[in-house]
Amino acid sequence: YAAVVFFFQLSGFVNCVVYEARGSAYGAPSFRAKFWHKRVVRLAPTYFVALLMFAPLLVAAWGAFDVLPFGHEPTRVVAVVATALGIQAWDPTVPLWRLWNYPAWAVSDEAVFYFLFPFLMPILKPIVAVSRRGAYALLCLLWIAQLFVWLGYTSLLEMSGFGSGEAADVTYTFPLVRI
């Protein structure tokens, strides 16, 4: 678990360093379009090759699923479409990523981070530029807020009927908890 968290943090750090060194104008529509295009070109080929590699297993097992929530065929169809679109981790209540290619939930989370990056940087950059202490304070506040969101969301799922392990699993992969 820790390696995935570290990867997300490292990816965000590298993006910040690279685009700051280039003096990027984050708010410009041309920057957003170029940034998002580069991310899609980098991630999509490997993502879709992995999905194609696992597609025969999915097809072979299609009628044999008896594990909740995939015992219900419409849920399987939604999971396949969500996975093909790279949004399988975006449902905050149904673990859609478990059906086809389990590790691909990380790409689904990355898509959210990459979408938000050009919008968040113009907000965060002035804080960091004004005061290094302010930046560290913001980082600490965000970390504490993430813990509260994580614990609160896991508790909410448990109260709504999820087992504690499943609630933790859904929370772990939900992108908005990871921001």
Side-chain angles (χ1 to χ4, degrees):
Y1 284 145
V4 175
V5 173
F6 177 73
F7 169 75
F8 286 145
Q9 292 169 343
L10 181 62
S11 176
F13 176 77
V14 168
N15 276 320
C16 290
V17 168
V18 166
Y19 288 102
E20 273 302 295
R22 294 178 183 167
S24 299
Y26 302 106
S30 60
F31 170 80
R32 288 192 298 266
K34 188 186 238 183
F35 177 80
W36 292 330
H37 176 75
K38 285 181 178 181
R39 303 289 79 77
V40 169
V41 168
R42 195 193 87 194
L43 289 174
T46 305
Y47 180 75
F48 288 115
V49 166
L51 291 182
L52 287 172
M53 286 173 47
F54 285 97
L57 295 172
L58 177 67
V59 171
W62 188 261
F65 288 107
D66 62 353
V67 177
L68 288 175
F70 302 117
H72 187 58
E73 186 164 11
T75 305
R76 291 195 304 262
V77 171
V78 168
V80 167
V81 171
T83 303
L85 295 173
I87 60 173
Q88 67 274 31
W90 296 8
D91 187 318
T93 59
V94 181
L96 297 174
W97 70 91
R98 289 181 176 169
L99 180 69
W100 189 348
N101 184 358
Y102 192 104
W105 70 263
V107 175
S108 185
D109 279 15
E110 269 188 286
V112 172
F113 305 150
Y114 289 151
F115 175 76
L116 292 175
F117 180 80
F119 298 109
L120 292 176
M121 283 304 292
I123 296 166
L124 299 175
K125 185 177 176 180
I127 295 169
V128 173
V130 170
S131 165
R132 188 169 291 223
R133 284 185 184 160
Y136 289 136
L138 176 65
L139 184 63
C140 289
L141 286 173
L142 290 173
W143 181 73
I144 291 168
Q146 182 185 30
L147 288 176
F148 279 109
V149 169
W150 187 296
L151 294 172
Y153 187 63
T154 302
S155 298
L156 182 67
L157 288 174
E158 288 173 356
M159 287 187 287
S160 67
F162 280 75
S164 62
E166 188 174 23
D169 202 24
V170 170
T171 302
Y172 181 77
T173 59
F174 187 52
L176 296 181
V177 174
R178 296 193 153 275
I179 290 178

